Amino acid sequence: MAKEITNRTENYSQWYLDIVKKADLADNSAVRGCMVIKPNGYALWENMRDQLDRMFKETGHVNAYFPLFIPKSFLSREAQHVEGFAKECAVVTHHRLMNDPDGSGVIVDPSSKLEEELIVRPTSETIIWDTYRGWIQSYRDLPLLINQWANVVRWELRVRQFLRTAEFLWQEGHTAHATKAEAVAETLSILDIYTRFAEEYMAMPVIRGIKTANERFAGAEETYCIEALMQDGKALQAGTSHFLGQNFAKAFDVKFLNENNIEEYVWATSWGVSTRLIGALIMAHSDDDGMVIPPKLAATQVIIVPIPKPSPEIGEAADKVMKALRAKGIRVKYDLDDKKRPGFKFAEHEMKGIPVRLGIGMRDLENGQVEVARRDTKEKKSVPFDGVADYVAQLLDDIQQNLFDRARLFRDTHTTKVDNFDDFRSLIETPRPELSESWGGGFISAHWDGTTETELKIKELTKATIRCIPLDAEKEAGQCILTGKPSQGRVLFAKAY
RNA sequence: CGGGGUGUAGCGCAGCCCGGUAGCGCGCGUCGUUCGGGACGACGAGGCCGGAGGUUCAAAUCCUCUCACCCCGACCA
């Protein structure tokens, strides 16, 4: 069999790029750091987006759209915020082009310089809170639960398809509340949605936690996150939900009159997940044969391959199967290509991650059966023709569950409790060539004295950072692995994407 | 943004050192034989060698500058 995808153990980064290419998810573009999301990749995003959108709406959120451009002065209103984003902003300075007088093309018209430069949004807190000032006067206007689906730009120096691109697609929720308690509750309720989405739809187990001060969103009081472990033993932040306190309300002067006719600043949250989740999906489930997509997010859940090629008899049988599958809400396609041979198609559909493949040939028709192959384990089985829809419906559920179980087992077996710095270090530094040529060490659960100084020191020594303080961590007295100072509980360390 | 590497046909690469009419494998098109795990044969199409300057009678090849991608580092979802 011709091998077109690099093995994970050989070169994990190359494997990742090969998957993106061979599963036809994205292309590089003419612009550095910006990618073209191709139909296969975009279909994944659409399914993610649609599901998340349903979940947001079920919890009372509505969608709106705010401008791509933010006046430069807005960004500097919140000190922490501007500090966090200043280094990666694209700036619009002019609004017109003209023919180059020397005839060599087109140049920026110097006379079109903008009075105030515009920032291409890296995130929209500032322009949204500037808008909210006009929308909120009374406690009756609250809560304001708004989400937007948009693109943002962060001028990244080092980019990787889906994981870190200069432009990416995301959703950003921005809510306004009358009380601190309500805003905190919102932050956590969104974290629940993200957790459910990651685990039930992406089949990707996550750790819910709080970011340390050092890793907190610029301008937030508290950042909550979900963290997932990738197959190379590195952590990926899959979603964040921020409690913003009254920072933005104060910066943009957003006040409301409470029931007692007293003026107060509004409490805020913001939260987001991005196309990065597609990168997470790849690194959570895919293998050396290609992409593996959880059934709930697959644009095509079942592909029917006629063997050896389309024929009226097989087409008729395929139609019946498709009808039965569609009646159960299963997304199915029939491979009508009569040029490619079956073996080639098998490999191709596996590369693209379609969860289930049905093979129908003359032999199957004679025996009244269909060959069912599952992508996750690559097992094949012949199933009686009449029972195929039930069987496949159950199989899709099984695959979804198996992917989650497999990923959770992987995470659990690569999460290590460590009680001294030497063990910590050797865990991070010991290569695991059987897993990945660039093994990151997995999650490490260890005690930390709570100071940024220690956190940074550990990062400097090992490259590992504190991914989060897990929400469900038990209280456990211990000693910081670096300084030996007292600690009340373990935090989760890892090398991170 | 610093260090290293790579840009030649859709993809993977050779050619560059030592300048002289651009090659290979895969893929692609047509026809035939095939077809239950990436078929085979014949014929054929496809490239101003990433881009811009320069040196030269002559540049994929030498020089300068740029752009993009990959790896490592600092920064980050």
Side-chain angles (χ1 to χ4, degrees):
Chain A
M1 189 164 95
K3 195 71 195 175
E4 304 193 31
I5 295 171
T6 307
N7 285 342
R8 283 164 291 183
T9 50
E10 258 167 51
N11 184 340
Y12 192 85
S13 301
Q14 191 57 50
W15 167 80
Y16 177 83
L17 290 168
D18 287 349
I19 300 277
V20 171
K21 185 183 282 290
K22 296 300 177 184
D24 222 13
L25 302 177
D27 259 351
N28 282 323
S29 71
V31 182
R32 178 193 152 77
C34 295
M35 63 178 174
V36 176
I37 303 178
K38 298 180 78 175
N40 283 345
Y42 201 77
L44 280 172
W45 180 238
E46 283 178 312
N47 285 339
M48 290 176 166
R49 183 195 64 193
D50 291 351
Q51 179 54 32
L52 282 164
D53 202 61
R54 274 191 288 275
M55 294 167 103
F56 296 149
K57 285 176 179 157
E58 275 165 15
T59 46
H61 301 84
V62 290
N63 287 331
Y65 187 79
F66 294 84
L68 172 66
F69 300 122
I70 299 177
K72 190 176 71 177
S73 58
F74 282 19
L75 216 67
S76 51
R77 297 278 266 281
E78 213 287 332
Q80 296 290 317
H81 191 67
V82 69
E83 198 187 318
F85 287 104
K87 282 171 286 183
E88 48 187 24
C89 287
V91 184
V92 179
T93 56
H94 293 75
H95 65 82
R96 197 189 312 142
L97 299 174
M98 59 185 282
N99 288 321
D100 191 333
D102 77 6
S104 66
V106 97
I107 59 168
V108 173
D109 183 342
S111 72
S112 70
K113 193 164 167 43
L114 295 178
E115 194 133 319
E116 179 172 6
E117 290 156 344
L118 298 171
I119 310 302
V120 180
R121 64 183 164 216
T123 181
S124 302
E125 275 78 5
T126 55
I127 193 148
I128 287 179
W129 279 85
D130 184 70
T131 307
Y132 280 1
R133 183 176 55 248
W135 292 2
I136 298 169
Q137 278 96 43
S138 148
Y139 70 93
R140 295 169 199 264
D141 297 323
L142 297 172
L144 194 54
L145 305 175
I146 291 184
N147 176 62
Q148 86 165 343
W149 291 95
N151 57 339
V152 287
V153 168
R154 297 181 187 177
W155 211 262
E156 297 292 348
L157 300 174
R158 195 171 166 185
V159 293
R160 279 189 95 185
Q161 290 178 327
F162 291 111
L163 295 175
R164 177 162 291 106
T165 45
E167 179 193 23
F168 56 92
L169 306 185
W170 77 344
Q171 60 66 216
E172 48 180 326
H174 296 273
T175 70
H177 305 266
T179 65
K180 176 179 179 178
E182 194 184 300
V184 170
E186 166 76 4
T187 313
L188 286 165
S189 133
I190 293 297
L191 195 71
D192 281 341
I193 289 177
Y194 286 165
T195 304
R196 258 171 44 221
F197 177 75
E199 300 199 333
E200 290 175 23
Y201 289 83
M202 296 179 67
M204 182 175 77
V206 293
I207 303 286
R208 301 145 45 85
I210 302 176
K211 287 291 187 190
T212 61
N214 183 243
E215 299 271 335
R216 199 178 283 154
F217 174 74
E221 296 278 306
E222 201 79 88
T223 288
Y224 294 83
C225 62
I226 53 172
E227 293 282 331
L229 188 65
M230 303 293 101
Q231 293 183 58
D232 63 346
K234 292 181 190 148
L236 184 90
Q237 178 177 301
T240 48
S241 181
H242 315 290
F243 168 62
L244 301 174
Q246 294 172 310
N247 294 344
F248 285 91
K250 285 177 179 163
F252 288 90
D253 196 34
V254 186
K255 297 177 198 164
F256 72 101
L257 276 177
N258 67 19
E259 291 102 318
N260 304 315
N261 206 33
I262 295 169
E263 200 169 55
E264 285 185 65
Y265 283 111
V266 174
W267 297 86
T269 81
S270 71
W271 26 275
V273 297
S274 71
T275 37
R276 172 178 246 208
L277 289 180
I278 294 174
L281 205 58
I282 294 169
M283 291 198 290
H285 302 307
S286 298
D287 61 24
D288 292 344
D289 295 320
M291 183 85 185
V292 174
I293 305 174
K296 285 188 183 175
L297 295 178
T300 302
Q301 296 170 305
V302 177
I303 182 79
I304 302 178
V305 178
I307 297 167
K309 55 168 55 174
S311 74
E313 296 80 15
I314 296 172
E316 199 179 309
D319 277 342
K320 280 185 195 154
V321 172
M322 283 195 284
K323 201 167 280 180
L325 289 174
R326 286 186 179 136
K328 291 180 179 293
I330 294 168
R331 301 184 285 276
V332 56
K333 271 193 181 166
Y334 180 46
D335 189 337
L336 268 169
D337 193 324
D338 61 356
K339 301 290 184 213
K340 292 172 182 143
R341 302 164 81 250
F344 185 88
K345 292 180 177 178
F346 295 169
E348 193 175 46
H349 294 131
E350 275 162 12
M351 216 140 64
K352 295 191 172 163
I354 297 176
V356 171
R357 183 186 71 238
L358 303 182
I360 305 179
M362 289 314 291
R363 198 168 75 201
D364 299 300
L365 293 184
E366 282 159 21
N367 299 336
Q369 63 185 30
V370 175
E371 183 186 78
V372 182
R374 56 189 288 180
R375 175 63 184 88
D376 59 339
T377 62
K378 306 198 74 183
E379 288 162 339
K380 290 196 284 197
K381 193 177 171 182
S382 285
V383 173
F385 194 87
D386 293 332
V388 83
D390 286 330
Y391 182 84
V392 168
Q394 182 60 48
L395 182 60
L396 289 170
D397 286 347
D398 289 351
I399 292 171
Q400 184 81 29
Q401 187 63 42
N402 179 50
L403 289 178
F404 179 76
D405 290 345
R406 202 159 83 173
R408 188 172 51 187
L409 180 68
F410 178 86
R411 182 196 70 191
D412 290 348
T413 52
H414 297 99
T415 300
T416 316
K417 276 192 186 181
V418 153
D419 289 311
N420 65 71
F421 192 65
D422 287 342
D423 289 352
F424 185 96
R425 205 163 189 164
S426 89
L427 207 54
I428 293 282
E429 289 170 1
T430 306
R432 297 285 299 276
E434 77 283 11
L435 292 168
S436 157
E437 125 286 350
S438 55
W439 177 249
F443 278 142
I444 302 178
S445 176
H447 283 284
W448 162 62
D449 65 17
T451 67
T452 297
E453 193 192 350
T454 300
E455 183 181 2
L456 293 176
K457 188 75 189 167
I458 292 174
K459 182 179 180 185
E460 186 191 324
L461 293 170
T462 66
K463 310 283 178 219
T465 50
I466 299 177
R467 300 323 303 151
C468 68
I469 303 159
L471 289 180
D472 58 3
E474 309 151 21
K475 286 262 183 287
E476 178 194 298
Q479 292 181 317
C480 174
I481 50 159
L482 188 71
T483 62
K485 289 181 189 160
S487 147
Q488 285 95 43
R490 291 174 184 273
V491 300
L492 203 61
F493 286 89
K495 284 193 191 168
Y497 273 98

